[in-house]
Amino acid sequence: MGIIKGIKGVKDILPEETPRWHVIEDAARRWASCYGYQEIRIPIFELTALFARSIGATTDIVEKEMYTFPDRDGTSLTLRPEGTAGTVRAFIEHNRAADPLPQKFFYLGPMFRHERPQAGRLRQFHQFGAESFGTSDSRADVEVIALLWHLLSSLSLPDLTLEINSLGSSGDRAAYKPILFAFLSGQASRLCANCRRRMETNPLRVLDCKVPDCRAATESAPRLIDHLSPEARIHFDQVLAGLVSIGIPYRLNHRLVRGLDYYCLTSFEITSNHLGAQNAVGAGGRYDGLVEALGGPSVPAVGFALGLERVSLMLPQALLPSAREGLYYVAAFGENGAKLGLVLLDELRRAGISAQCDYRAITLKAHLRQADRLKCRFAILLGDDEAARGSVILRDLDSKAQEVYPLAGLSSVLKSRTCSS
Ligand code: ATP
Ligand code: MG
């Protein structure tokens, strides 16, 4: 019988890689809390209808990327492809709008999309997302962008660009759609089959098609930004001015669209050209109509989602914690040494000191080889002679310098050493 392998596009994150994930996740939590966003943990799966209604039937996600399956009673369920839908559902279901607004949430966890796996594009991937409910003021837009930008900058990710656009109000888009449609009709022969179809149902989506021919064909398309109502224009100008005031550089990108009625006004994406084809690290925008569209009250909202695999691909090595500083190896050998070693290990660990031992090692030499492999800074030698004397030898594995310490009370001595070093 062959071995059973993991699923294509679904990766294990091995112990060598978890330190970089911790760096990213810790930074995300720190920045979120600094901006007043509280963690929400939403379910991994939901009713399919939630995603179909919130993300929109004509999007790539709903059209072809969702993991959808019938429950035992036939109810259609879907593994979450993103976090906004679940957050909004929870917001409505728990009647959060009855409590004082604004309310700000963040989430962190796996998402699932059936895509063609490649570097930075997986079927199970992880997102950190933030959602701010209750503020239509442009400063809330600036706030979520700043949170994302400062988080990524604090991780020293290279070559970040903030691209931004305004989708206007739903009225602005309704007026713009026939103008765009007329333009696209003239270019139809140059568009991919998918875009020719979407052109009818949701022409805005054609603008962010990634097929090079489609991009070329829509290069001179009329711009939504030139068709904004005065209110939408003012909101956009305020967001841009806010970004300038806090020193966040941006680039206008008229292709940045989300073809859904719930998305409005600000739409943004942060890209890096270090990522190749999958160049978007995070994306977000305002979705003032979504809470209401999902059956809740009218509550404005703005947020983003960040792809953590893509962050991990770009994270500089220098940000990773240095290897195991302060880790002790207990080299306990001989009959009595081994017995006292077990007690010492327990004592050290209970004092919060990281300590290792390979119980298979019988000789000092074998122990020291393991200590080396584990990259420990110090070894505590405890053989039968030391056991008889009630002492241990502390060996610095870099300098090879040795010191003798009493066995009793060793954990508090080491604890104060670790704190002062
Ligand atoms: P893309 O254009 O790359 O498909 P998207 O527009 O589908 O991205 P969003 O739904 O806005 O992406 O999700 C926000 C972020 O989540 C993306 O910018 C990206 O970093 C990450 N992301 C999306 N899909 C995947 C995936 N399949 N694998 C890894 N990361 C992903
Ligand atoms: Mg996608």
Side-chain angles (χ1 to χ4, degrees):
M1 269 210 303
I3 52 165
I4 298 173
K5 292 193 169 170
I7 301 166
K8 191 176 165 196
V10 178
K11 274 201 184 171
D12 300 305
I13 299 176
L14 297 171
E16 297 74 44
E17 299 161 75
T18 42
R20 48 195 312 118
W21 283 82
H22 289 159
V23 167
I24 298 166
E25 289 162 358
D26 291 351
R29 289 176 186 283
R30 220 170 34 243
W31 280 99
S33 137
C34 189
Y35 278 74
Y37 288 69
Q38 292 178 304
E39 183 173 9
I40 183 166
R41 299 196 181 187
I42 43 171
I44 300 281
F45 59 137
E46 301 263 6
L47 294 179
T48 303
L50 172 69
F51 301 115
R53 237 209 275 173
S54 63
I55 302 169
T58 55
T59 55
D60 283 352
I61 294 181
V62 173
E63 275 182 343
K64 52 183 195 201
E65 294 174 358
M66 293 203 305
Y67 281 96
T68 297
F69 56 94
D71 202 349
R72 287 176 187 275
D73 67 358
T75 314
S76 182
L77 304 179
T78 292
L79 298 184
R80 63 182 191 193
E82 51 99 62
T84 303
T87 307
V88 172
R89 180 204 44 73
F91 181 83
I92 297 168
E93 192 167 334
H94 301 286
N95 197 21
R96 301 289 300 204
D99 295 336
L101 294 167
Q103 288 173 41
K104 306 193 287 189
F105 305 102
F106 80 87
Y107 59 82
L108 229 166
M111 307 293 164
F112 307 85
R113 297 185 194 176
H114 190 275
E115 301 201 64
R116 197 163 66 79
Q118 46 201 296
R121 190 174 295 284
L122 296 162
R123 292 184 174 174
Q124 174 172 327
F125 62 100
H126 299 77
Q127 284 184 337
F128 163 66
E131 320 283 3
S132 167
F133 293 96
T135 311
S136 53
D137 192 287
S138 59
R139 283 170 292 180
D141 310 44
V142 175
E143 178 180 285
V144 293
I145 295 172
L147 164 53
L148 180 57
W149 181 264
H150 293 317
L151 162 63
L152 297 177
S153 305
S154 76
L155 292 171
S156 308
L157 303 194
D159 283 333
L160 298 177
T161 304
L162 166 65
E163 304 190 8
I164 190 164
N165 193 18
S166 175
L167 299 179
S169 65
S170 57
D172 297 345
R173 286 193 304 286
Y176 168 71
K177 272 182 191 166
I179 300 171
L180 178 62
F181 180 76
F183 172 86
L184 294 174
S185 305
Q187 304 289 322
S189 60
R190 298 171 68 192
L191 300 176
C192 71
N194 201 7
C195 281
R196 281 205 296 274
R197 187 176 48 78
R198 282 194 294 208
M199 191 174 106
E200 312 277 347
T201 50
N202 195 346
L204 276 146
R205 296 285 309 168
V206 177
L207 292 180
D208 75 348
C209 180
K210 293 192 178 84
V211 177
D213 284 349
C214 295
R215 296 187 77 86
T218 54
E219 200 45 60
S220 59
R223 298 168 179 221
L224 177 48
I225 195 108
D226 299 326
H227 295 81
L228 296 184
S229 55
E231 299 74 34
R233 182 74 239 183
I234 289 170
H235 185 92
F236 192 44
D237 288 341
Q238 285 173 339
V239 172
L240 299 183
L243 292 173
V244 170
S245 76
I246 57 173
I248 297 181
Y250 61 82
R251 196 170 84 199
L252 298 179
N253 177 357
H254 70 277
R255 287 174 177 278
L256 209 63
V257 293
R258 299 190 166 223
L260 277 175
D261 287 346
Y262 323 124
Y263 293 103
C264 62
L265 303 171
T266 316
S267 175
F268 62 90
E269 196 163 274
I270 294 185
T271 58
S272 166
N273 51 22
H274 273 237
L275 280 173
Q278 273 56 251
N279 70 347
V281 202
R286 190 163 264 291
Y287 52 95
D288 288 347
L290 184 56
V291 180
E292 206 171 1
L294 290 179
S298 169
V299 175
V302 57
F304 68 76
L306 171 68
L308 300 188
E309 275 73 9
R310 296 186 194 177
V311 174
S312 166
L313 282 172
M314 291 196 294
L315 191 72
Q317 201 65 25
L319 281 189
L320 297 181
S322 61
R324 302 213 156 113
E325 196 63 34
L327 181 67
Y328 291 87
Y329 185 94
V330 175
F333 55 102
E335 201 184 328
N336 294 328
K339 276 186 197 152
L340 289 181
L342 186 64
V343 178
L344 176 61
L345 270 170
D346 187 60
E347 220 177 271
L348 293 176
R349 290 164 175 169
R350 286 207 288 174
I353 296 170
S354 178
Q356 302 299 317
C357 177
D358 181 350
Y359 305 118
R360 301 166 311 167
I362 298 168
T363 63
L364 178 58
K365 197 171 159 201
H367 274 304
L368 291 178
R369 200 168 344 139
Q370 278 302 64
D372 198 45
R373 194 179 70 83
L374 293 168
K375 299 193 173 64
C376 296
R377 195 46 225 292
F378 298 97
I380 299 167
L381 315 188
L382 176 50
D384 284 343
D385 289 353
E386 286 75 26
R389 276 187 233 119
S391 65
V392 299
I393 299 172
L394 183 70
R395 180 177 165 101
D396 183 324
L397 293 170
D398 291 340
S399 69
K400 311 284 185 266
Q402 303 197 148
E403 282 171 275
V404 176
Y405 285 94
L407 178 57
L410 184 63
S411 62
S412 33
V413 173
L414 294 186
K415 188 107 190 147
S416 56
R417 269 180 66 110
T418 314
C419 294
S420 60
S421 68

